[in-house]
Amino acid sequence: MPTSRFNIRRKPRLNVLQSEQVEDVYMATMEVLERTGVRITHQRSLDLLLDAGARVDGDRVRIPDSLVKDALNRAPSRVVLGTRSGERTVKLERNRSWFGPSLDCLDYLEPATGERRKFRLEDCRTTASLLENLPNYQWGMTFGLASDVPPDLSDRLVLKEALTYSEKPMVFCCKDINSLKDIYEMALVIAGDEKQFLNAPSIVMLADPISPLMLTDDTLEKMIFCAEKRIPQICYGAPQAGSTGPATFAGSIVQGTAESLIGLVITQLVRPGAPFIYGAFATVMDMRTTIFSYGAPEMILMGAALAQMSQHFKLPYFGTAGCSDAKLPDSQAAAEATMSCMSAALSGANLIHDCGLLDHGCLASPAFMVLVHEVLDMLAPITRGIQVDDEHLAVDVIHDVGPGGHFMQEDHTAEHFREVWYSNMFDRSNYVSWLEHGGLRFEERLREQTLEQMEHHERMLPEEKRKELDRMAEHWE
Amino acid sequence: MSQILEQIATGIIGGDIQGVEKLVQKALDEGQEAETILQNGLIVGMAEVGKRFKAAQMFIPEVLRAAKSMHGGQELLRPLLAGDKAGRAGKIVIGTVQGDLHDIGKNLVGMLCEGAGFEVVDLGFDAPPDKFTEAIKTHQPDIVAMSALLTTTMRAMGYTLKAIEEAGLRDKVKVMVGGAPVDAEFAERIGADGYGHNAVSGAEVARNLIEAG
Ligand code: B12
């Protein structure tokens, strides 16, 4: 869904917060950072913060709002990601939205048989190749954590697989600083050298603060490394309203914002201008089942509010959409994903993850990836908005046709009817022709189309680079 | 069942923390046996809570409040209850295993076990095997409960079990496990005694392990 500059202006806007409320959330966030503060034990971070004017009391760090303001001034207001061949494709700026899949699932839903099983390394190849074939996804993630490789290597092996079979930039999580160094080395090999990497970074690290208000030593170690090397990074806590965040939505937005901004402050102290992406996975705990919901309307609402906050900060924003609590790519999954994708796009979220994810974060499903891809296709004409000019206001042709005529043979119609969207998956035929074409249920068509999408040539990393990555992997521990 | 015991059970279901304490005191003043109040009041109420939660008629914050009122009532009864456990269902040491920072599930299991009458010692998250073995030595629990949410940390459950064995403590405790990637088969493979897929079943498993002896 490439969006041109012109489209951005025309894109309809979802504002769930009034501008006064944006200020209220900001001030409340500053109060949390100044009054409650954050728990940090990492010595280098504590030193940095103390030097910069934070109040440090043991492992509790309290930050005045001036420090946040400084960090906001230093941070880039846009981050551009690129393909592994160096093309700058994903521009995280303003209200441009770029969708991508999910990461680190436990299980895999086999598209041919419908069998659910543990995620394996080979599944990463399948999903990465599928990603390559689905243009509405402009970037990727590592889909699942392989269960059939040594657990200590799993984070790097899945990413290596994803980078081998897809050209698109990849967001990853990794267990510690050693993993991160290996991953950075991989990215340099793929890009050629540091200069080329910086010209179009093809990897982005996802770091998690632990809600409420904690950052572990491991996480800070990784974040500092990324800042030093200018690897784009996302600082993304998961305040779960009612359990690890306050039960009220504004409160979870405030807490999530505080957790992300502390990451911003530290990264900008390490290296002014270090590429940073703000965000939080604010959702609710479902109090009937205790699950962390990936499909709740409140998650969608809070996500939209956070996107607005990011625009206030002029920071790129990482959001969540296209996922579901359902166990199959069924009607519930489609309803939840559609609502979240639409809201994410219209609120102007930038980097939007978890398309194709089922069972609240546990299940990767190629079929659902394909379904959500079609939802995004359907969303495209909505995000393009309505063009309003003489040609499109169509006063002349309305006059020419006049009362009681019709438009079907007009030149104006011939010129513009292609602006209407058509689906290759959703059915609009009449009942008889639907029957004549086999009367296929949606699930059956989805299965067929998923299998079709999976049959294609993947865009493999050139052989010498593949060999080099293999050589590197031999030394991973 | 006497009226006051029924009121206690109702108080538990309604999560009336102070109300339950008052009623328990009143029942004692009226001459009811501590054991009777526990079995026919508090536990009856909590059993109903479990049932209602499973039927999606109660929400977890209500269940946790019920657990808290149960706990309060029980603390009043404890000095009066016979036996070395003084009315406790048993003691549980619980923690999220090494390398894993996910602790919400573990916290819930802990709170509901408390509600089921257990004394719970919480080791927090990222707890290495020796923290478990040390805690067994110090607290002498009946049950060790481990939580893991990552494919990469599940095996730490196995390592912890091994450490417990090597410390010669395995026959002193029952072990139960849970968390998103864990299933009954895995629990059996590493030699755990029980598995629970959510917090309510966790508390049930704990009770069953104690009953099975
Ligand atoms: C919230 C969350 C986080 C939070 C945790 C905060 C916290 N304080 O716990 C943060 C953001 C820090 C986090 C970090 C990471 N997470 Co995380 N996280 C989740 C998420 C979304 C929800 C977990 C949760 O709290 N659920 C709610 C609670 C109540 O449920 P529960 O834990 O399952 O517990 C219930 C039962 O399992 C059971 N139970 C649990 N323990 C026990 C123990 C016993 C004895 C018994 C009987 C029962 C029992 O009872 C509980 C109550 O009903 C899950 C997705 C999911 N659906 O599980 C991913 C998930 C577990 N995380 C995942 C991953 C990979 C990570 C990270 C590596 C990076 C990342 N992707 O973000 C880091 C790892 C950090 C680390 N070293 O541990 C993956 C795991 C995949 C895998 N193959 O292992 C998941 C599945 C999501 C995903 N696809 O990315 N995560």
Side-chain angles (χ1 to χ4, degrees):
Chain A
M1 206 186 345
T3 42
S4 73
R5 200 159 282 286
F6 183 54
N7 286 341
I8 279 187
R9 269 183 243 140
R10 226 165 53 205
K11 187 175 176 182
R13 257 207 110 79
L14 174 65
N15 285 330
V16 300
L17 296 174
Q18 311 304 318
S19 51
E20 279 299 309
Q21 294 179 310
V22 169
E23 278 300 325
D24 289 342
V25 169
Y26 179 72
M27 291 304 165
T29 305
M30 294 307 111
E31 178 66 2
V32 167
L33 286 174
E34 244 181 272
R35 178 190 182 194
T36 312
V38 180
R39 187 196 294 167
I40 288 175
T41 49
H42 185 249
Q43 199 52 50
R44 177 153 175 223
S45 306
L46 289 173
D47 293 344
L48 278 167
L49 288 160
L50 188 65
D51 278 352
R55 287 179 291 142
V56 176
D57 184 4
D59 61 6
R60 189 71 74 90
V61 184
R62 296 181 171 84
I63 296 165
D65 86 302
S66 57
L67 257 185
V68 176
K69 262 201 281 187
D70 287 348
L72 284 170
N73 278 333
R74 288 174 184 174
S77 51
R78 61 195 293 271
V79 172
V80 179
L81 309 176
T83 63
R84 70 163 180 243
S85 47
E87 200 191 332
R88 288 163 66 88
T89 48
V90 176
K91 298 191 170 130
L92 306 173
E93 60 184 13
R94 306 189 60 191
N95 62 344
R96 275 174 201 247
S97 299
W98 312 90
F99 287 86
S102 61
L103 91 166
D104 289 355
C105 287
L106 294 162
D107 292 341
Y108 182 73
L109 195 60
E110 184 68 67
T113 60
E115 178 208 2
R116 177 172 174 158
R117 56 163 173 75
K118 294 270 170 244
F119 194 96
R120 298 198 286 252
L121 191 61
E122 67 194 43
D123 304 329
C124 224
R125 174 173 182 169
T126 311
T127 38
S129 316
L130 182 60
L131 174 76
E132 213 33 58
N133 225 26
L134 298 173
N136 296 335
Y137 299 131
Q138 302 90 354
W139 57 281
M141 276 185 140
T142 47
F143 313 100
L145 260 185
S147 59
D148 56 343
V149 297
D152 283 331
L153 305 184
S154 180
D155 55 352
R156 283 154 287 174
L157 290 173
V158 288
L159 182 62
K160 173 168 165 278
E161 224 43 23
L163 289 167
T164 302
Y165 295 106
S166 167
E167 281 231 313
K168 297 179 181 178
M170 291 287 162
V171 174
F172 65 93
C173 280
C174 61
K175 70 178 168 57
D176 56 24
I177 183 76
N178 293 326
S179 275
L180 176 59
K181 286 179 178 164
D182 291 339
I183 288 168
Y184 178 56
E185 211 182 325
M186 247 198 308
L188 290 185
V189 166
I190 291 171
D193 57 31
E194 190 189 1
K195 249 195 213 144
Q196 292 180 59
F197 172 76
L198 288 176
N199 178 55
S202 59
I203 54 166
V204 180
M205 186 186 75
L206 177 57
D208 314 291
I210 302 189
S211 305
L213 301 167
M214 292 194 294
L215 276 157
T216 65
D217 292 4
D218 272 344
T219 300
L220 287 164
E221 200 72 33
K222 290 189 288 187
M223 291 182 70
I224 290 177
F225 183 84
C226 283
E228 281 167 345
K229 303 290 182 200
R230 285 175 283 179
I231 303 166
Q233 61 181 314
I234 306 159
C235 187
Y236 187 73
Q240 193 185 7
S243 102
T244 53
T248 49
F249 311 136
S252 278
I253 294 164
V254 165
Q255 187 188 302
T257 299
E259 289 161 351
S260 189
L261 291 184
I262 177 76
L264 173 82
V265 169
I266 294 168
T267 58
Q268 300 310 307
L269 288 174
V270 171
R271 177 166 194 145
F276 180 91
I277 300 165
Y278 152 90
F281 194 157
T283 184
V284 293
M285 174 180 268
D286 178 280
M287 296 298 185
R288 287 199 299 213
T289 60
T290 77
I291 66 101
F292 176 105
S293 180
Y294 280 65
E298 297 81 7
M299 168 194 100
I300 297 170
L301 184 68
M302 289 189 274
L306 287 158
Q308 268 183 272
M309 293 310 297
S310 77
Q311 289 144 22
H312 178 72
F313 299 139
K314 282 204 173 28
L315 288 176
Y317 169 70
F318 186 68
T320 308
C323 40
S324 170
D325 295 334
K327 312 301 170 279
L328 295 168
D330 57 11
S331 312
Q332 175 190 338
E336 291 176 351
T338 301
M339 220 179 267
S340 58
C341 286
M342 175 128 168
S343 166
L346 299 188
S347 59
N350 302 123
L351 196 62
I352 303 160
H353 86 308
D354 272 355
C355 296
L357 184 73
L358 292 171
D359 192 8
H360 40 88
C362 294
L363 180 61
S365 162
F368 192 39
M369 260 175 84
V370 171
L371 193 168
V372 176
H373 185 265
E374 193 66 9
V375 168
L376 294 175
D377 220 65
M378 187 171 183
L379 193 51
I382 298 174
T383 58
R384 280 199 290 271
I386 295 178
Q387 195 165 339
V388 179
D389 53 26
D390 285 347
E391 174 69 8
H392 285 80
L393 287 166
V395 171
D396 289 342
V397 70
I398 293 172
H399 183 76
D400 292 347
V401 168
H406 70 74
F407 293 89
M408 281 185 287
Q409 288 173 317
E410 293 300 317
D411 287 350
H412 188 267
T413 303
E415 274 155 34
H416 291 287
F417 82 95
R418 287 193 186 279
E419 287 165 22
V420 171
W421 175 78
Y422 291 92
S423 175
N424 293 320
M425 190 184 288
F426 301 150
D427 175 72
R428 286 177 178 169
S429 59
N430 71 28
Y431 181 55
V432 174
S433 44
W434 177 69
L435 279 182
E436 280 170 2
H437 283 90
L440 285 184
R441 298 167 61 93
F442 177 76
E443 286 74 12
E444 295 165 300
R445 293 199 303 274
L446 177 63
R447 180 176 169 278
E448 260 176 28
Q449 292 197 12
T450 305
L451 296 179
E452 260 168 45
Q453 290 283 6
M454 285 165 60
E455 266 176 38
H456 64 279
H457 302 291
E458 52 217 2
R459 229 155 289 160
M460 270 232 249
L461 192 66
E463 200 185 338
E464 346 69 85
K465 295 205 169 167
R466 273 196 335 258
K467 282 197 176 137
E468 187 151 1
L469 296 195
D470 285 341
R471 265 197 303 277
M472 286 166 50
E474 280 167 26
H475 303 286
W476 288 345
E477 45 191 46
Chain B
M1 211 205 297
S2 86
Q3 211 192 336
I4 188 138
L5 294 181
E6 245 173 68
Q7 285 171 347
I8 290 174
T10 310
I12 297 269
I13 297 166
D16 182 358
I17 298 167
Q18 282 111 34
V20 167
E21 278 183 25
K22 276 193 204 128
L23 286 166
V24 167
Q25 192 55 52
K26 193 165 158 217
L28 287 170
D29 296 344
E30 281 176 14
Q32 298 264 9
E33 292 284 332
E35 188 64 33
T36 315
I37 301 175
L38 176 69
Q39 295 299 335
N40 300 343
L42 297 174
I43 291 182
V44 167
M46 214 46 212
E48 180 61 24
V49 168
K51 245 189 254 160
R52 290 193 188 179
F53 178 72
K54 272 193 195 153
Q57 289 163 355
M58 267 178 96
F59 293 82
I60 202 75
E62 296 166 329
V63 176
L64 294 176
R65 277 190 72 83
K68 204 166 172 185
S69 30
M70 163 92 188
H71 193 69
Q74 213 178 358
E75 284 305 300
L76 274 178
L77 296 178
R78 271 213 316 127
L80 308 167
L81 287 163
D84 54 349
K85 286 192 177 131
R88 282 207 171 116
K91 199 191 265 190
I92 298 181
V93 160
I94 191 168
T96 298
V97 296
Q98 184 160 37
D100 204 315
L101 308 173
H102 298 83
D103 65 352
I104 311 161
K106 179 235 5 153
N107 294 346
L108 278 171
V109 174
M111 286 184 276
L112 288 190
C113 285
E114 264 179 4
F118 286 90
E119 183 185 350
V120 175
V121 179
D122 188 349
L123 305 183
F125 53 73
D126 192 14
D130 58 359
K131 198 162 177 185
F132 280 95
T133 51
E134 282 311 308
I136 297 173
K137 288 183 202 149
T138 320
H139 300 287
Q140 309 198 319
D142 305 280
I143 295 175
V144 170
M146 291 187 269
S147 179
L149 266 279
L150 298 169
T151 355
T152 49
T153 56
M154 282 165 80
R155 67 203 153 126
M157 291 180 156
Y159 301 156
T160 308
L161 260 166
K162 219 188 225 139
I164 294 174
E165 253 161 49
E166 279 164 10
L169 301 165
R170 185 61 185 92
D171 55 350
K172 300 215 173 359
V173 290
K174 300 278 183 191
V175 174
M176 64 177 196
V177 293
V182 180
D183 55 23
E185 194 198 321
F186 174 82
E188 197 174 315
R189 190 147 32 96
I190 61 167
D193 306 299
Y195 156 77
H197 69 92
N198 65 20
V200 172
S201 80
E204 273 166 16
V205 170
R207 278 200 160 264
N208 292 341
L209 286 176
I210 296 288
E211 270 164 32

